[in-house]
């Protein structure tokens, strides 16, 4: 089972929640950009994880819109349905089905140790914390294991969930025979920590950033350009990369380098003797040039929801080919009576 592969390339699986509306620059540089690159070297499977989204209450229309928007942005960023598998999690019912089996293999204490659950449940309060939120990491494990995934590209904050996934895979394999590939975390480091433009010491994130510190990719480019131009730096004047002493300037150099492909060292040379204003103005231009085609493509996908939905349906069909095979093996090994 675990060795069956449609291609020789290692498989990657990752998921993104459809909750933030527009992606921000941190999402793109920290994750989406790597997803796009991995299509060239890996058998890449990506999902908009709407089942995970409802672990926190969602407005139905907003969830539907956000799901299409997330998919459109992934396509706009360069995911190619011919070269990867892109689908909406709830379109593949095997995720929920495998999650149940995995729930029955997960210790209560084991799940209670997940730090992300502890953080999120503390924020939600006892009343707002659902059992779904508690078993969120188990559903994530099911996502990964269904596809016999080799590598899981995620940020550092997901490491514990990947560890749990490995533990569950090993437990299942040990108890029922070799069924699941043991996945490894593929921690995204490069430019993975884009800082808030107003408070570069904190990560650019939906929950933590100030409105002026966070760059939304679907905003009008001139709104974001202004945010770059008014980014917080320091009282020194030298454009030098030093994340400790000069977090603001260093963050701008990181973003510039990531968007332009020029090395930070090269940028330091280029801006030698210039003031911060020059860096900010040029970065605003580099960003605008990069974001415009992304926005245009994304809006084109959103303009034709029927075509977008058809693309997602094809993705789900492709995903199900693998998912049904894994689930069948799991059901058989667990001892479920096959339906006739
Ligand atoms: N929990 C992940 C996050 O918040 C999203 C996710 C869901 C995921 N299922 C996944 C990531 C499977 C990787 C693999 O970022």
């Amino acid at each position: 089972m675990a060795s069956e592969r449609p291609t020789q390339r290692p498989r990657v699986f990752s998921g993104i929640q459809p909750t933030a509306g527009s992606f921000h620059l941190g999402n793109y540089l920290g994750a989406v950009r790597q997803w796009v690159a991995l299509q060239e070297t890996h058998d890449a499977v990506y999902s908009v994880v709407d089942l995970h989204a409802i672990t926190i209450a969602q407005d139905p229309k907003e969830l539907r819109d956000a799901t299409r928007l997330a998919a459109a942005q992934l396509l706009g960023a360069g995911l190619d349905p011919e070269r990867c598998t892109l689908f909406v999690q709830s379109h593949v019912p095997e995720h929920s089905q495998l999650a149940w089996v995995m729930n029955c293999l997960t210790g209560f204490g084991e799940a209670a140790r997940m730090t992300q659950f502890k953080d999120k449940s503390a924020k939600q309060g006892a009343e707002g914390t659902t059992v779904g939120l508690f078993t969120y990491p188990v559903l994530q494990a099911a996502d990964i294991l269904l596809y016999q995934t080799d590598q899981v590209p995620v940020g550092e904050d997901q490491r514990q969930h990947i560890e749990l996934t490995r533990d569950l895979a090993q437990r299942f394999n040990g108890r029922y025979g070799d069924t699941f590939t043991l996945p490894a975390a593929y921690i995204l480091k490069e430019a993975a920590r884009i800082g808030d433009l107003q408070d570069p010491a904190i990560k650019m994130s939906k929950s933590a950033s100030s409105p002026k510190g966070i760059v939304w990719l679907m905003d009008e480019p001139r709104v974001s350009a202004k945010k770059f131009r008014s980014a917080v730096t320091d009282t020194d004047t030298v454009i030098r990369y030093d994340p400790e002493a000069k977090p603001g300037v260093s963050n701008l150099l990181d973003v510039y380098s990531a968007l332009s492909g020029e090395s930070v060292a090269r940028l330091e040379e280029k801006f030698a003797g210039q003031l911060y204003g020059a860096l900010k103005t040029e970065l605003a231009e580099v960003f605008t040039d990069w974001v415009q085609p992304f926005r245009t493509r994304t809006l084109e996908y959103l303009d034709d929801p029927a075509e977008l939905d058809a693309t997602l349906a094809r993705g789900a069909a492709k995903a199900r080919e693998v998912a049904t095979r894994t689930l069948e093996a799991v059901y058989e090994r667990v001892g479920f009576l096959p339906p006739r």
Side-chain angles (χ1 to χ4, degrees):
M1 185 70 215
S3 60
E4 269 182 58
R5 272 297 185 293
T7 71
Q8 294 305 101
R9 293 176 166 193
R11 181 167 288 150
V12 292
F13 179 96
S14 199
I16 194 159
Q17 286 203 47
T19 47
S22 170
F23 291 168
H24 58 68
L25 191 59
N27 298 135
Y28 176 74
L29 293 177
V32 175
R33 193 167 66 124
Q34 283 79 358
W35 287 22
V36 174
L38 285 164
Q39 296 179 113
E40 310 305 330
T41 49
H42 288 65
D43 177 4
V45 184
Y46 301 123
S47 185
V48 179
V49 290
D50 53 351
L51 298 174
H52 279 103
I54 65 162
T55 55
I56 300 215
Q58 303 293 332
D59 173 80
K61 179 178 186 311
E62 279 173 24
L63 178 60
R64 205 152 29 236
D65 290 348
T67 302
R68 283 208 185 96
L69 178 56
Q73 289 178 96
L74 290 171
L75 294 165
L79 286 191
D80 175 356
E82 301 298 320
R83 285 184 296 161
C84 72
T85 303
L86 173 65
F87 69 99
V88 174
Q89 188 186 29
S90 64
H91 293 177
V92 179
E94 287 76 14
H95 288 254
S96 309
Q97 292 174 287
L98 181 59
W100 176 254
V101 175
M102 289 300 163
N103 273 324
C104 298
L105 236 68
T106 308
F108 189 88
E110 194 175 29
R113 280 195 295 276
M114 294 294 120
T115 57
Q116 200 160 63
F117 170 72
K118 290 195 249 178
D119 292 347
K120 285 193 190 173
S121 58
K123 263 190 215 144
Q124 296 298 312
E127 288 308 304
T129 299
T130 64
V131 175
L133 188 65
F134 187 63
T135 69
Y136 175 118
V138 182
L139 176 60
Q140 182 168 351
D143 295 344
I144 295 165
L145 298 176
L146 260 185
Y147 299 96
Q148 307 293 352
T149 301
D150 298 295
Q151 289 161 14
V152 190
V154 282
E156 181 62 42
D157 63 335
Q158 296 296 308
R159 195 188 281 281
Q160 196 186 26
H161 290 171
I162 310 306
E163 275 309 309
L164 175 70
T165 304
R166 290 170 61 88
D167 289 345
L168 294 176
Q170 273 173 314
R171 197 169 303 158
F172 190 100
N173 288 350
R175 201 172 291 181
Y176 299 109
D178 206 16
T179 307
F180 294 121
T181 301
L182 213 57
Y186 176 109
I187 300 291
L188 301 167
K189 287 214 180 71
E190 206 191 335
R193 271 191 71 93
I194 295 303
D196 179 297
L197 294 185
Q198 292 296 314
D199 183 359
I202 64 166
K203 188 169 141 182
M204 187 181 288
S205 89
K206 185 191 168 197
S207 48
S209 291
S210 56
K212 282 166 69 188
I214 185 162
V215 174
W216 300 104
L217 303 188
M218 295 307 290
D219 273 358
E220 287 288 342
R222 61 183 160 71
V223 173
S224 304
K226 192 165 166 202
K227 290 179 183 174
F228 281 112
R229 286 195 304 268
S230 50
V232 165
T233 40
D234 53 56
T235 53
D236 188 23
T237 54
V238 186
I239 298 178
R240 181 169 53 83
Y241 191 77
D242 182 346
E244 289 293 310
K246 301 167 78 71
V249 172
S250 304
N251 190 41
L252 296 179
L253 287 169
D254 272 333
V255 173
Y256 195 127
S257 168
L259 292 179
S260 68
E262 290 175 84
S263 71
V264 166
R266 169 80 195 82
L267 292 173
E268 282 178 327
E269 278 171 35
K270 178 171 168 173
F271 286 103
Q274 299 198 56
L275 298 178
Y276 291 161
L279 171 63
K280 293 180 190 177
T281 304
E282 239 191 75
L283 175 53
E285 284 164 15
V286 166
F287 172 79
T288 302
D289 289 347
W290 170 79
V291 86
Q292 257 159 354
F294 162 82
R295 270 186 97 242
T296 306
R297 282 193 299 269
T298 301
L299 291 171
E300 279 167 12
Y301 287 109
L302 290 172
D303 248 7
D304 192 351
E307 177 55 31
L308 178 60
D309 291 358
T311 301
L312 293 172
R314 284 192 295 274
K318 226 157 100 182
R320 278 198 92 177
E321 283 174 25
V322 184
T324 50
R325 253 188 290 139
T326 303
L327 190 75
E328 238 171 66
V330 167
Y331 269 27
E332 195 262 319
R333 284 175 191 181
V334 164
F336 289 159
L337 185 66
R340 290 199 59 105

